[in-house]
Amino acid sequence: MIRETVRDFAEQNIRPFIRKWDDEQHCPKEIFQQLGALGLMGMLVPEEFGGSGLGYKEYVTAIVALSKVDPSIGLSMAAHNSLCTNHILMFGNEQQKKHYLPKLASGEWMGAWGLTEPNTGSDAGNMQTVAVKEGDDWIINGSKNFITNGKSGDVTVLITRTGQPGDKHGATAFIIEQGTAGFTSGRKEDKLGMRASETVELIFQDCRISDSQRLGDVGDGFIQSLKVLDGGRISIAALGVGTAQGAYEAALAYSKQRQQFGKSISGFQAIQFKLADMYTDIQASSLLTFHAAELKDQGEKVTLPSAVAKYHSSETAVRVANDAVQIFGGYGFTKDYPVEKFYRDSKLCTIGEGTSEIQKKVISKEILAD
């Protein structure tokens, strides 16, 4: 039912505008408000806080269905749900949950999550955004970049350094609302793909916030982030599956319609073998992703399965999108056909929420620890 609901919504409200939003790099905030009305912006949030009270399997299903149509929308929805909203759900106190979660779950508010910095991408332990305690307040200075929903976000979960660089207990998380003095959004990145999902710089200049905005204990921010990313990587795996499925289905349909040498190109073994490889890779990625989601729903540790799913699915998305362009031939290189956009969008899956290289590092660390 979730798959059908998202599919119907996307066909009516997203597909007609894909080209326009991509060309203009427009983040359609109204779409996310509508997704909130459908219960998709608080899928993991319990009903007592205004959410849908669903699990990761349902959440993955929704992201896949959205991303088959426009991966940009799937990406922004995923960052809102699994990073910002889920961080508050996992580590916020009762007052914070009651205040923020209903607004985020309804889609009234958009959420962002700030970890990455200009000089510390994968090396998050050496972040330069610093929070200093002053009485009952914290003073924050620094900047973040590559932040999804960074401009449209009404609330941001921000990870800051409150200890020594490299100390795993030297970071603390805070909730910061848009409009807070000293907090501004900076440059919006002009990106290769995922152009309807805004990626923005966040700037903090003597930004003063109350200690009541702190998430969890001082020094727990980095540990919290790793736990949040375990779930977040499942959502990026789902993004990869949806992106690959969208490219594959477009290529499959085209191969049946395109005529060469008196027959459809799907009659040629070279095309058949490409489609077979694409289908097989997608099935494997989907199974890995739903397996990780099921373990997450069971409360199991998902560091390894989420990294495996994210790594396989993101690389699959790139391979499948590449082959889809090849099947379309010259038309695949034009914006008049959908695979050109899937091709551009797919690459982000291998970078966001930990590069493929970081996933291999996580996987090898986990399997060698046994």
Side-chain angles (χ1 to χ4, degrees):
M1 187 171 67
I2 290 171
R3 185 183 300 111
E4 292 175 356
T5 298
V6 174
R7 181 195 63 200
D8 294 344
F9 175 86
E11 289 296 329
Q12 182 176 348
N13 299 284
I14 297 175
R15 190 176 295 282
F17 308 102
I18 292 174
R19 175 73 180 273
K20 177 179 173 63
W21 295 341
D22 185 68
D23 287 345
E24 298 177 357
Q25 295 203 81
H26 172 65
C27 179
K29 194 170 182 179
E30 68 281 0
I31 288 294
F32 300 104
Q33 293 169 344
Q34 294 169 31
L35 289 173
L38 291 174
L40 298 175
M41 297 298 276
M43 295 192 74
L44 304 172
V45 176
E47 293 182 18
E48 64 179 294
F49 297 119
S52 300
L54 298 172
Y56 262 78
K57 286 184 289 187
E58 293 85 357
Y59 174 48
V60 162
T61 298
I63 294 176
V64 170
L66 269 181
S67 303
K68 280 175 62 175
V69 178
D70 189 342
S72 296
I73 305 302
L75 174 61
S76 285
M77 182 261 207
H80 168 95
N81 271 283
S82 64
L83 297 182
C84 176
T85 304
N86 204 37
H87 197 141
I88 296 172
L89 175 63
M90 292 174 68
F91 299 106
N93 58 38
E94 197 71 10
Q95 183 178 359
Q96 290 168 338
K97 292 178 182 179
K98 287 180 178 178
H99 179 69
Y100 290 106
L101 292 180
K103 295 177 181 178
L104 289 165
S106 69
E108 177 186 351
W109 279 12
M110 277 282 282
W113 193 74
L115 176 65
T116 303
E117 296 185 359
N119 296 314
T120 57
S122 300
D123 186 17
N126 284 308
M127 68 180 73
Q128 299 302 306
T129 298
V130 176
V132 177
K133 190 79 183 296
E134 187 176 285
D136 291 331
D137 295 337
W138 291 85
I139 311 298
I140 301 173
N141 283 284
S143 64
K144 300 288 183 178
N145 73 338
F146 299 136
I147 306 304
T148 303
N149 305 334
K151 185 176 182 179
S152 294
D154 300 278
V155 59
T156 299
V157 172
L158 179 72
I159 319 302
T160 68
R161 183 163 59 80
T162 51
Q164 295 301 311
D167 181 2
K168 66 179 181 179
H169 294 289
T172 303
F174 297 92
I175 306 172
I176 301 184
E177 296 182 23
Q178 189 180 75
T180 301
F183 168 35
T184 57
S185 58
R187 186 173 69 120
K188 180 178 177 179
E189 301 293 344
D190 187 3
K191 299 178 297 180
L192 169 72
M194 298 291 190
R195 290 167 62 84
S197 174
E198 66 183 20
T199 304
V200 179
E201 177 188 31
L202 303 181
I203 301 169
F204 302 89
Q205 294 179 318
D206 294 327
C207 177
R208 179 183 292 270
I209 59 172
S210 167
D211 187 58
S212 64
Q213 299 300 103
R214 173 170 46 84
L215 270 169
D217 294 334
V218 174
D220 279 355
F222 190 63
I223 296 170
Q224 292 175 9
S225 297
L226 293 177
K227 293 178 180 178
V228 169
L229 284 170
D230 279 349
R233 285 168 178 163
I234 298 174
S235 65
I236 300 301
L239 177 67
V241 171
T243 302
Q245 283 187 356
Y248 162 76
E249 290 179 8
L252 178 65
Y254 181 80
S255 74
K256 295 176 180 179
Q257 298 165 1
R258 175 67 167 169
Q259 296 286 316
Q260 290 286 278
F261 305 102
K263 62 179 180 180
S264 66
I265 63 172
S266 62
F268 295 101
Q269 192 177 70
I271 301 299
Q272 293 169 355
F273 280 11
K274 280 190 184 298
L275 291 169
D277 284 340
M278 295 160 77
Y279 178 83
T280 301
D281 279 348
I282 292 169
Q283 290 300 304
S285 293
S286 181
L287 288 169
L288 287 169
T289 302
F290 277 97
H291 174 64
E294 184 172 11
L295 292 176
K296 180 71 172 174
D297 285 339
Q298 293 172 356
E300 300 287 338
K301 180 184 176 183
V302 294
T303 303
L304 178 58
S306 68
V308 170
K310 198 272 187 186
Y311 172 53
H312 194 280
S313 297
S314 59
E315 294 292 335
T316 290
V318 172
R319 287 195 301 271
V320 169
N322 180 68
D323 282 343
V325 170
Q326 197 70 18
I327 289 172
F328 269 79
Y331 292 114
F333 207 64
T334 71
K335 290 182 179 291
D336 295 327
Y337 290 85
V339 292
E340 176 269 346
K341 183 176 182 298
F342 284 120
Y343 182 68
R344 289 186 287 107
D345 288 348
S346 67
K347 190 57 190 171
L348 184 277
C349 298
T350 70
I351 298 171
E353 294 194 36
T355 63
S356 290
E357 290 74 21
I358 287 293
Q359 303 315 309
K360 287 192 279 189
K361 183 176 179 180
V362 171
I363 292 165
S364 59
K365 180 181 178 181
E366 290 293 312
I367 61 178
L368 289 170
D370 291 340

